[in-house]
């Protein structure tokens, strides 16, 4: 990768991770690592353009069908594609189908941009992670293979212990905190060959784990506010992203103050 490279445009493709949940802004919208990265790239390049097509809850088949063709047509310098993790968290999933959709997306996007960036997504330490780890690692093996074949870069967030630390995750246990998104933005920035601002892999200081009562209270709150609604959507075939448009659907000059 060329060091200190120049990029004039960026399109982000994916699900809630790329949309920016749970990096909440005062106006109730989400920022996230992609917006943070766009702001830094724009500061280096006058006329920089940015689009974010990500929508929460989307599966890789939906990303391949609805987002990848739009992104490919934009002709951006950089495209990030992060998808498939929602599929691995479903009770039943056809991993060969996940691979097919991911491969189709990469084959479409890689020749359409100057640099395609893929990711090995982070996962929060805990019993849920252990249950789905084999599927996730199967997904990541596919990502590594496709990246090598098509000249894409891979940001290995999964291999960074700090991003598995529960303190980096919001109360819903599915989305990174603002600090987590900041570190992801730095990881992508460095992977693109740009000068490091911080060591995003630095682990958090040691801290006493919460006591049993606090943990059980947190578990009950999590189940009531997040787990049960998630199960309800799965049982009824609904998604948190149903009917929701992309947060920044057109590749336009970066000038939205809410993203700076």
């Amino acid at each position: 990768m060329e060091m200190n490279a120049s990029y004039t445009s960026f399109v982000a493709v994916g699900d809630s991770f790329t949309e920016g949940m749970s990096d909440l802004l005062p106006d109730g919208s989400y920022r996230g690592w992609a917006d943070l990265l766009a702001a830094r790239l724009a500061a280096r390049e006058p006329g920089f353009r940015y689009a974010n097509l990500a929508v929460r809850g989307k599966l890789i088949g939906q990303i391949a069908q609805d987002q990848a063709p739009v992104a490919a047509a934009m002709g951006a310098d950089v495209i990030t594609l992060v998808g498939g993790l929602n599929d691995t968290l479903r009770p039943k999933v056809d991993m060969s189908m996940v691979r097919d959709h991911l491969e189709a997306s990469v084959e479409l996007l890689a020749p359409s941009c100057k640099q395609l960036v893929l990711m090995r997504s982070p996962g929060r330490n805990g019993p849920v992670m252990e249950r789905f780890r084999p599927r996730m690692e199967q997904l990541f093996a596919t990502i590594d293979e496709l990246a090598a074949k098509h000249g894409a870069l891979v940001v290995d967030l999964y291999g960074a212990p700090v991003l598995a630390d529960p303190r980096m995750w919001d109360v819903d246990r599915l989305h990174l905190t603002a600090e987590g998104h900041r570190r992801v933005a730095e990881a992508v920035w460095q992977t693109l060959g740009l000068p490091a601002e911080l060591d995003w892999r630095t682990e958090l200081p040691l801290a006493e784990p919460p006591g049993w009562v606090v943990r059980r209270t947190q578990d009950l709150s999590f189940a009531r506010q997040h787990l049960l609604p998630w199960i309800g959507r799965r049982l009824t075939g609904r998604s948190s992203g149903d009917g929701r448009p992309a947060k920044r659907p057109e590749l336009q000059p970066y000038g939205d103050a809410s993203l700076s």
Side-chain angles (χ1 to χ4, degrees):
M1 167 55 55
E2 177 187 354
M3 294 305 294
N4 209 26
S6 176
Y7 303 102
T8 64
S9 52
F10 166 38
V11 177
V13 174
D15 51 33
S16 60
F17 175 66
T18 302
E19 184 184 342
M21 298 173 72
S22 291
D23 185 7
L24 192 64
L25 293 170
D27 65 0
S29 64
Y30 292 108
R31 182 176 52 182
W33 67 265
D35 289 2
L36 292 168
L37 177 64
R40 293 176 66 181
L41 292 171
R44 293 171 55 90
E45 195 70 38
F48 179 83
R49 295 176 300 152
Y50 171 50
N52 190 323
L53 308 179
V55 178
R56 67 193 69 174
K58 294 304 180 182
L59 303 174
I60 187 59
Q62 296 169 310
I63 293 171
Q65 176 179 322
D66 300 333
Q67 297 181 33
V70 177
M74 290 179 172
D77 279 357
V78 175
I79 297 178
T80 57
L81 167 62
V82 189
L85 199 63
N86 282 336
D87 298 77
T88 68
L89 298 177
R90 294 295 176 103
K92 295 182 180 180
V93 59
D94 183 344
M95 290 302 294
S96 64
M97 189 67 70
V98 171
R99 178 191 174 89
D100 289 346
H101 287 309
L102 188 58
E103 184 173 24
S105 298
V106 171
E107 289 178 346
L108 181 62
L109 293 172
S112 77
C113 63
K114 182 177 178 179
Q115 184 61 67
L116 178 63
V117 179
L118 308 177
M119 292 190 198
R120 294 162 56 93
S121 303
R124 179 185 185 275
N125 282 339
V128 173
M129 177 68 172
E130 294 311 311
R131 176 180 179 186
F132 295 105
R133 189 183 296 276
R135 292 180 182 177
M136 291 175 63
E137 294 186 347
Q138 187 177 348
L139 172 67
F140 298 154
T142 296
I143 288 170
D144 289 343
E145 179 184 335
L146 291 172
K149 181 178 179 182
H150 294 278
L153 299 173
V154 178
V155 185
D156 185 14
L157 306 174
Y158 178 73
V162 66
L163 292 180
D165 190 316
R167 291 173 291 174
M168 281 289 187
W169 294 78
D170 192 43
V171 293
D172 66 1
R173 304 182 183 180
L174 287 173
H175 301 105
L176 291 171
T177 62
E179 174 62 15
H181 280 283
R182 186 176 74 93
R183 293 189 184 224
V184 172
E186 179 67 23
V188 182
W189 174 267
Q190 293 180 22
T191 301
L192 287 170
L194 298 168
E197 183 176 280
L198 56 92
D199 183 356
W200 64 271
R201 296 179 179 84
T202 299
E203 297 191 33
L204 300 178
L206 292 176
E208 286 293 327
W212 185 90
V213 173
V214 172
R215 295 199 307 274
R216 296 294 77 78
T217 301
Q218 292 173 341
D219 289 344
L220 288 172
S221 178
F222 161 71
R224 182 174 62 254
Q225 296 182 35
H226 302 286
L227 181 59
L228 292 177
W230 183 86
I231 293 173
R233 290 195 297 272
R234 298 291 79 76
L235 293 175
T236 57
R238 294 177 293 117
S239 167
S240 58
D242 288 348
R244 182 177 293 275
K247 68 184 296 183
R248 194 177 173 95
E250 298 182 11
L251 186 61
Q252 295 182 336
Y254 182 96
D256 186 342
S258 69
L259 300 179
S260 59

